[in-house]
Each structure stands twice: as C-alpha cells, then as structure tokens.
Amino acid sequence: MILDGKGLAARRLELLKEDIIEEGLSPTLATVIVGDDPASHMYVRMKHRACEQVGISSVNISLPEDTTTRTILERIRQLNEDPDIDGILVQLPLPKTIDTEAVLAAILPEKDVDGFHPLNMGRLVTGLKGTRPCTPKGIMTLLHEYKIPIAGKRAVIVGRSVDVGRPISLLLLHADATVTICHSKTENLPEITKQADILVSAAGKPGIITAGMVKPGATVIDVGTNQVNGKLCGDVAFEEVERVAGAITPVPGGVGPMTIASLMENTTDIARNRCEPFI
Ligand code: NAP
C-alpha cells in the first residue's frame, strides 16, 4: 500500500479551508528566512502557497545572509508583539553565524507554530498539550488516517534530530509503540531496522534503507528529502523496499505534503486559541 501523503494533505487542506470560513477565523502566519539558500526559499514559497489555498494570511520577512542574531531577535520581538500575527516560523537552517537556539527560544511559545520552542519541546516530552513539530505531526496523522496499528508495535527511527527524529520518537512512544532510536553511531543498523513494524527514516541519506533492512509487511515512512542528480529522492530504496513493505510513503508525495498540512493546522489551532492563555 502506498501511503498517499499528497492526496491526504489535499483533503485535509480542503477541510481546513471550510473550517476557517465556518468559524470566521482569520489566521496569519509570519515566516522569517535568512540568506538566499534556494531550497529554503522554495520551502517558504510552498508554505505561503498553502496559506493562500486555505485562507491563511501570510507575511514573509526575508533577511540577508549577513544579518546578526540581534537583528533577528528584534524582528521576532516585533512579531511577538504584533496582535495580527498568530504563528511565527523561522525557516531552518539559519546561517552558521546565527545563534539558532536563541532565535527559536525568542519566539513566544503560543506563537511557535513549528513547536521548536523549548517549552513546547518540554510539553512534547511530558505529553502535555502543545504545538507539535509539523513533520512528526504529519507522520502521525498519516498513520492514523491509514489506520496503521501503533500501540504495542515496534517502531524504529533512523535519525535523532531535534526537528524530526526525536519528536517522532516521542509521539510514537505516547501512542504506545515500543521505540528504538538509531543514529550515525548505531552498530548493526540493519539488525535493528529489521525488527520494526514501523520504520521511520529521517537520516537524509539517499538509499540508506534497503529491502534487506525491512521486515516483511512493515510500514516504512521515508522522511528523507535528498537531491540526487537533480532528482528528489528519499532515504529509502523505494523500488526494492516497496516489494517487502506492507505500506510505504513515496518521495515526493508522502511526508512532505503532510508537513505543510500540519503547519496550516498548527497556525489555525493557534488562531483558534489566541484569546486563551497558553500556560
Ligand atoms: P539531520 O539534522 O541532518 O539529522 C540526521 C540524523 O540522521 C542524525 O541524527 C544522524 O545521526 C542520522 N544519520 C545520518 N547518517 C546516518 C547513518 N548512516 N545511519 C544512521 N543514522 C544516520 O536531518 P533532519 O533535519 O532530521 O532531516 C533528515 C532528512 O529529512 C533530511 O533529508 C531532510 O531534508 C528531511 N526532512 C524532510 C522533511 C519533510 O517534510 N519531508 C522535514 C524535515 C526534514 P547523528 O545524530 O549521529 O549525526
């Protein structure tokens, strides 16, 4: 079974658009991008296009590569204080000269649409209500919508990044999976991945997951977004793994669209709760 993230995301965005109209909401997302990395600019454009599609207003603040941390913090402060802005997203990665942790921590937790603020991360760890990072949230939505059993199942995550690997591990744990996290120092990776009922690869290494690493019938979620010879591909050697897996996400058309749908949902949720104190 192909897990069609593109189709599911399109349906969710349609529903969200109706909700926004019916509830009389006027959500607004602000994005901040620093430098001129073409891929980052493309992602930001895609996010603004999705906003337009569902009726979310959006503004973009584009700053030059040599912007200082102090200047970014000042722009974040202005967005925090602006009552017309619901969600703030800083496009990552920031240039190496910028203190990324300070920037993410400067966003008001209640406007932190990516869920990367330490308070929201803490809420994720403890299982409290809070904004969840978009890619892991999108993966969970995909699993739920396709009714993939999670409770009691063995989940293996390849990758331990703060934006994908760790949060998806925690969400799967909260959903009662038995979770193993692998990384670049993991020994005998195939031995571990082969035990997975749900295998999530977020390594950013094209073709790292081969058929021999996958348990027959497993659900394989490919987060990887890699460019090989100008072509977008995931971490999973799709053609061979598809024959072994029970369900698999394609790249493109799997996790990517679900990430954007989650961003739209997070922005709308924040707009819904804007009058309520967050903590
Ligand atoms: P990241 O910060 O570079 O983290 C990669 C992780 O993979 C690290 O934990 C690293 O281990 C681990 N890793 C690397 N090589 C490995 C290997 N050979 N064996 C086992 N583990 C290995 O990347 P990220 O931000 O999590 O993103 C991962 C991928 O997902 C990238 O391709 C990115 O473009 C993509 N992505 C896609 C979406 C989407 O919406 N589709 C969203 C976010 C990211 P160490 O910690 O030991 O270095």
Side-chain angles (χ1 to χ4, degrees):
M1 175 167 61
I2 302 292
L3 303 174
D4 176 18
K6 190 176 172 191
L8 177 59
R11 290 194 293 281
R12 291 186 73 88
L13 290 179
E14 270 309 307
L15 291 175
L16 191 64
K17 183 179 178 179
E18 287 167 19
D19 288 348
I20 288 171
I21 294 170
E22 274 171 26
E23 294 174 42
L25 299 170
S26 50
T28 303
L29 173 69
T31 57
V32 178
I33 182 163
V34 185
D36 36 41
D37 175 57
S40 293
H41 276 272
M42 186 188 71
Y43 291 135
V44 168
R45 276 196 305 276
M46 285 164 69
K47 290 167 186 176
H48 284 268
R49 220 176 293 139
C51 284
E52 231 171 84
Q53 199 185 326
V54 298
I56 294 177
S57 306
S58 62
V59 291
N60 183 42
I61 295 169
S62 185
L63 301 168
E65 182 85 21
D66 61 359
T67 305
T68 60
T69 300
R70 182 190 285 250
T71 301
I72 301 172
L73 293 179
E74 175 54 21
R75 298 308 289 264
I76 300 278
R77 190 189 59 75
Q78 290 165 2
L79 293 170
N80 282 341
E81 288 176 1
D82 185 340
D84 291 333
I85 301 293
D86 295 296
I88 303 170
L89 176 150
V90 175
Q91 185 64 35
L92 300 178
L94 289 168
K96 290 195 172 20
T97 48
I98 304 295
D99 183 345
T100 300
E101 280 177 24
V103 170
L104 295 179
I107 298 170
L108 271 183
E110 55 267 48
K111 292 194 177 193
D112 168 35
V113 79
D114 251 341
F116 292 157
H117 186 282
L119 186 70
N120 283 323
M121 281 290 175
R123 289 177 165 266
L124 170 63
V125 173
T126 50
L128 290 174
K129 192 170 164 274
T131 302
R132 305 301 192 217
C134 299
T135 300
K137 176 174 169 159
I139 294 170
M140 294 305 288
T141 304
L142 197 61
L143 294 172
H144 285 308
E145 291 280 336
Y146 275 93
K147 301 193 171 18
I148 307 284
I150 302 175
K153 300 296 175 189
R154 185 94 194 238
V156 174
I157 321 300
V158 183
R160 58 176 165 181
S161 70
V162 172
D163 57 324
V164 187
R166 287 178 215 207
I168 187 59
S169 310
L170 286 160
L171 289 177
L172 286 165
L173 181 65
H174 291 318
D176 294 327
T178 301
V179 179
T180 304
I181 307 173
C182 304
H183 45 77
S184 66
K185 308 289 185 295
T186 297
E187 293 178 359
N188 301 326
L189 185 65
E191 211 172 273
I192 299 169
T193 57
K194 228 176 156 169
Q195 294 174 26
D197 300 302
I198 299 169
L199 175 60
V200 180
S201 185
K205 296 278 182 272
I208 191 181
I209 305 296
T210 56
M213 297 167 75
V214 176
K215 175 174 165 179
T219 297
V220 179
I221 305 291
D222 191 352
V223 185
T225 310
N226 312 296
Q227 288 284 343
V228 177
N229 300 327
K231 203 170 159 247
L232 187 65
C233 67
D235 288 354
V236 176
F238 185 85
E239 281 173 18
E240 58 177 77
V241 173
E242 187 193 13
R243 290 188 217 119
V244 183
I248 185 168
T249 59
V251 177
V255 175
M258 292 304 296
T259 297
I260 299 221
S262 299
L263 173 65
M264 298 301 113
E265 289 169 355
N266 280 354
T267 307
T268 308
D269 280 346
I270 289 174
R272 281 189 178 107
N273 296 324
R274 72 198 294 179
C275 298
E276 293 172 18
F278 186 72
I279 43 174

